[in-house]
């Protein structure tokens, strides 16, 4: 525990059910702090926190806050930027002079003084971070890792093996990653996103430049990203390059060229070129950290993936169901490439729930182009998250831009009947909203 938090006894989380917030909550609970929090609705992730003995409220009344968390001398309040500005508890804590910090600030405090490995980028950072954490743990490093997704290997978004090194997902949303001072960092991509925060793509790029400048020792950047650093790529002249890539029974086998060695026959079970890039990024960071090559090769072959990242929910001779978090056109195109590569000559139905009105508006044509790659598309209404509706920005409007003939906007209650009526061999549920909560029902219907 960093000394600047030593005097803190109680930590109250506003938005505790978020993937990044819940990892922090677990960390402090295991550090023997008193932990409680608020969230809008119960979820399986929240249930797991409650099983650890964490008290969670579902209304924002100040009276709901446990008494011991109302002592501002030894209480830290942590909130996520996704919480609305009129949140009653948040405003109370601010007005009363409590120590109130964003999640990213707290991560910055925890990692300060500890050797830190950070992964940034508009795509790929969650999977890359999860692979990196697995590589380090499996090769014997005393690592603490805060993940932006649930690792299939550990069924958790937190790894606690020791304090020699910290692995963090460096989030560009709300410029959060500018709270970190990583020793080694990677930037997987700088595609325009979060324009509701940044307004212009150039401002987003500027924040990545600032993040790069905060990196102390080594910066890794994807081939084609306009920043100076060690590069990584596929079949190219990058410093770290996957070569001789082939697929054997659904598994990638490749060689890795590094500045100092050539490593042969590395295995990766995750599909898609984007995951190959994620894997070599994590591998390169682990090598720079000093992990032994032979242990890393063995560890990568045992990485199982991250929930909601090309997660097979059903895989038999009749039907394949894949669930994926993709919510940006680049991610949807990468997902499509992976599906076609792993399941050639199959008919593919994509079920997409757009996330945020602003993102749908800002990238409408790109969304239409990427979604049109699928044989069929079912579109759900836009998931608003933290936003209010933007007039004219609807799923019907988006569907009108798509070129495919088989496209349909449906209500959530029509999902099962529309999917079971399709003759598609592969069904892919796509999006960052609450579409993931429908997957179990879809799977059940497909098994009938």
């Amino acid at each position: 525990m960093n000394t600047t938090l030593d005097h803190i006894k109680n930590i109250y989380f506003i938005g505790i059910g978020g993937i990044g917030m819940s990892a922090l909550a677990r960390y402090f609970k295991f550090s023997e702090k008193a932990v409680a929090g608020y969230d809008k609705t119960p979820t399986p992730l929240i249930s797991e926190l409650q099983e650890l003995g964490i008290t969670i409220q579902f209304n924002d009344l100040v009276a709901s806050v446990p008494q011991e968390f109302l002592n501002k001398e030894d209480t830290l309040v942590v909130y996520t930027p996704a919480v609305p500005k009129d949140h009653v508890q948040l405003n109370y804590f601010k007005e009363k002079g409590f120590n109130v910090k964003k999640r990213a600030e707290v991560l910055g405090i925890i990692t300060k003084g500890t050797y830190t490995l950070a992964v940034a980028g508009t795509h790929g950072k969650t999977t890359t971070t999860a692979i990196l954490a697995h590589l380090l743990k499996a090769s014997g490093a005393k690592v603490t890792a805060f993940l932006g997704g649930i690792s299939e290997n550990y069924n958790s978004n937190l790894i606690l093996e020791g304090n020699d090194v910290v692995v963090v997902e460096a989030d560009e949303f709300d410029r959060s990653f500018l709270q970190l001072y990583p020793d080694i960092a990677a930037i997987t991509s700088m595609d325009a996103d979060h324009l509701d925060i940044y307004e212009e793509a150039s401002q987003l790029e500027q924040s990545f430049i600032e993040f790069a400048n905060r990196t102390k020792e080594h910066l890794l950047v994807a081939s084609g990203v306009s920043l100076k650093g060690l590069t990584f790529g596929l079949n190219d002249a990058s410093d770290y390059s996957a070569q001789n890539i082939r697929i054997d029974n659904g598994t990638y086998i490749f060689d890795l060229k590094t500045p100092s060695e050539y490593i042969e026959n590395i295995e990766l079970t995750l599909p898609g070129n984007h995951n190959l890039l994620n894997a070599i990024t994590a591998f390169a960071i682990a090598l720079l950290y000093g992990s032994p090559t032979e242990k890393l090769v063995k560890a990568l072959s045992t990485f199982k993936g991250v929930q909601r990242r090309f997660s097979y929910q059903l895989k038999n001779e009749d039907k394949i169901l894949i669930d994926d978090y993709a919510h940006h056109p680049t991610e949807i195109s990468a997902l499509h490439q992976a599906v076609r590569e792993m399941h050639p000559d199959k008919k593919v139905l994509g079920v997409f729930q757009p996330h945020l009105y602003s993102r749908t508006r800002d990238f409408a044509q790109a969304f239409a182009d990427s979604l049109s790659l699928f044989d069929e598309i079912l579109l759900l209404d836009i998931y608003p998250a933290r936003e209010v509706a933007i007039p004219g920005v609807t799923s019907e409007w988006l569907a009108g831009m798509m070129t495919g003939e088989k496209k349909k906007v449906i209500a959530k209650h029509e999902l099962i009947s529309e999917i079971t009526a399709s003759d598609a061999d592969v069904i892919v549920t796509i999006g960052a909203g609450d579409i993931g909560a429908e997957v179990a029902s879809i799977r059940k219907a497909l098994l009938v």
Side-chain angles (χ1 to χ4, degrees):
M1 179 70 61
N2 193 283
T3 53
T4 56
L5 294 176
D6 281 352
H7 69 288
I8 297 295
K9 294 179 182 177
N10 310 305
I11 303 178
Y12 191 81
F13 288 85
I14 300 177
I16 195 169
I19 194 73
M21 291 281 277
S22 61
L24 264 185
R26 289 174 193 266
Y27 173 81
F28 284 118
K29 182 67 177 176
F30 292 133
S31 301
E32 300 184 342
K33 303 290 187 182
V35 178
Y38 157 89
D39 213 291
K40 196 174 180 181
T41 52
T43 65
L45 201 53
I46 284 174
S47 296
E48 291 176 16
L49 295 178
Q50 290 173 321
E51 287 170 12
L52 293 174
I54 296 174
T55 301
I56 299 174
Q57 314 297 333
F58 299 103
N59 67 72
D60 67 350
L61 300 176
V62 175
S64 299
V65 179
Q67 192 63 38
E68 65 266 34
F69 293 85
L70 294 175
N71 179 359
K72 68 180 179 182
E73 302 305 321
D74 57 12
T75 297
L76 171 67
V77 178
V78 186
Y79 73 101
T80 168
V83 170
K85 289 183 171 59
D86 61 354
H87 192 278
V88 174
Q89 290 178 0
L90 180 59
N91 284 308
Y92 170 83
F93 285 124
K94 285 182 175 180
E95 289 164 6
K96 295 296 182 181
F98 277 71
N99 187 4
V100 179
K101 295 185 181 298
K102 291 182 182 178
R103 180 185 68 90
E105 292 180 83
V106 178
L107 259 185
I109 293 169
I110 292 171
T111 58
K112 192 175 183 181
T114 304
Y115 200 89
T116 301
L117 313 177
V119 180
T122 42
H123 322 296
K125 57 183 174 289
T126 295
T127 300
T128 304
T129 305
I131 296 173
L132 176 58
H134 175 68
L135 292 179
L136 294 178
K137 183 180 185 300
S139 58
K142 294 178 179 177
V143 58
T144 291
F146 298 92
L147 309 179
I150 305 297
S151 166
E152 296 279 14
N153 288 79
Y154 311 106
N155 195 32
S156 180
N157 54 353
L158 177 70
I159 293 174
L160 281 176
E161 287 291 309
N163 293 314
D164 286 355
V165 60
V166 177
V167 172
V168 293
E169 180 174 321
D171 191 1
E172 75 281 358
F173 174 73
D174 201 32
R175 297 177 173 83
S176 292
F177 59 178
L178 299 184
Q179 303 288 339
L180 302 171
Y181 289 91
D183 294 273
I184 304 174
I187 296 176
T188 61
S189 53
M190 292 197 309
D191 289 350
D193 198 4
H194 304 302
L195 298 186
D196 54 326
I197 300 292
Y198 287 98
E199 296 182 2
E200 300 286 341
S202 59
Q203 292 182 32
L204 175 69
E205 289 181 12
Q206 182 58 41
S207 74
F208 275 103
I209 292 168
E210 290 177 39
F211 173 75
N213 290 337
R214 299 168 80 88
T215 303
K216 299 173 189 172
E217 292 183 14
H218 301 288
L219 177 69
L220 285 150
V221 296
S223 177
V225 168
S226 56
L227 289 172
K228 286 187 177 179
L230 294 163
T231 54
F232 56 89
L234 304 179
N235 287 317
D236 60 12
S238 296
D239 296 300
Y240 295 85
S241 176
Q243 311 270 328
N244 190 25
I245 302 163
R246 58 263 191 214
I247 297 175
D248 182 11
N249 196 27
T251 296
Y252 278 122
I253 302 173
F254 64 97
D255 304 334
L256 181 62
K257 176 184 75 68
T258 82
S260 60
E261 58 186 323
Y262 191 88
I263 310 161
E264 296 184 334
N265 298 323
I266 302 172
E267 294 185 10
L268 175 72
T269 58
L270 301 189
N273 287 339
H274 61 301
N275 279 321
L276 265 177
L277 280 168
N278 295 337
I280 64 170
T281 307
F283 206 103
I285 296 172
L287 285 173
L288 289 167
Y289 175 66
S291 299
T293 300
E294 60 279 2
K295 287 187 178 180
L296 294 178
V297 171
K298 184 178 179 181
L300 186 60
S301 68
T302 63
F303 182 71
K304 297 177 183 176
V306 179
Q307 287 182 16
R308 299 218 67 227
R309 271 58 172 194
F310 208 100
S311 297
Y312 281 104
Q313 303 296 313
L314 182 63
K315 194 176 184 182
N316 60 35
E317 290 182 6
D318 299 320
K319 290 287 180 183
I320 294 167
L321 175 62
I322 299 165
D323 183 36
D324 197 276
Y325 188 75
H327 55 282
H328 184 283
T330 301
E331 295 165 353
I332 294 170
S333 296
L335 171 63
H336 175 267
Q337 179 270 328
V339 172
R340 295 294 188 195
E341 186 173 59
M342 291 298 160
H343 304 288
D345 306 319
K346 299 282 189 182
K347 187 173 183 179
V348 183
L349 164 66
V351 184
F352 179 54
Q353 181 189 47
H355 185 264
L356 296 178
Y357 295 101
S358 59
R359 183 183 281 126
T360 306
R361 175 199 63 200
D362 294 339
F363 304 106
Q365 190 57 58
F367 271 122
D369 292 344
S370 62
L371 292 168
S372 296
L373 297 170
F374 292 86
D375 299 307
E376 295 181 37
I377 278 287
L378 296 175
L379 277 177
L380 292 171
D381 289 335
I382 297 170
Y383 185 80
R386 56 189 178 269
E387 294 184 336
V388 296
I390 298 174
V393 179
T394 64
S395 290
E396 287 81 5
W397 172 70
L398 177 60
M401 299 185 197
M402 292 167 54
T403 56
E405 290 183 13
K406 290 204 166 187
K407 55 187 179 182
K408 189 173 184 180
V409 179
I410 63 168
K412 201 178 285 183
H413 70 265
E414 299 175 287
L415 253 180
I416 301 296
S417 59
E418 291 287 345
I419 289 172
T420 53
S422 170
D423 63 352
D425 307 293
V426 182
I427 297 98
V428 190
T429 50
I430 312 165
D434 60 3
I435 187 171
E438 306 299 320
V439 173
S441 299
I442 296 169
R443 182 181 186 278
K444 187 177 179 181
L446 292 173
L447 284 170
V448 172

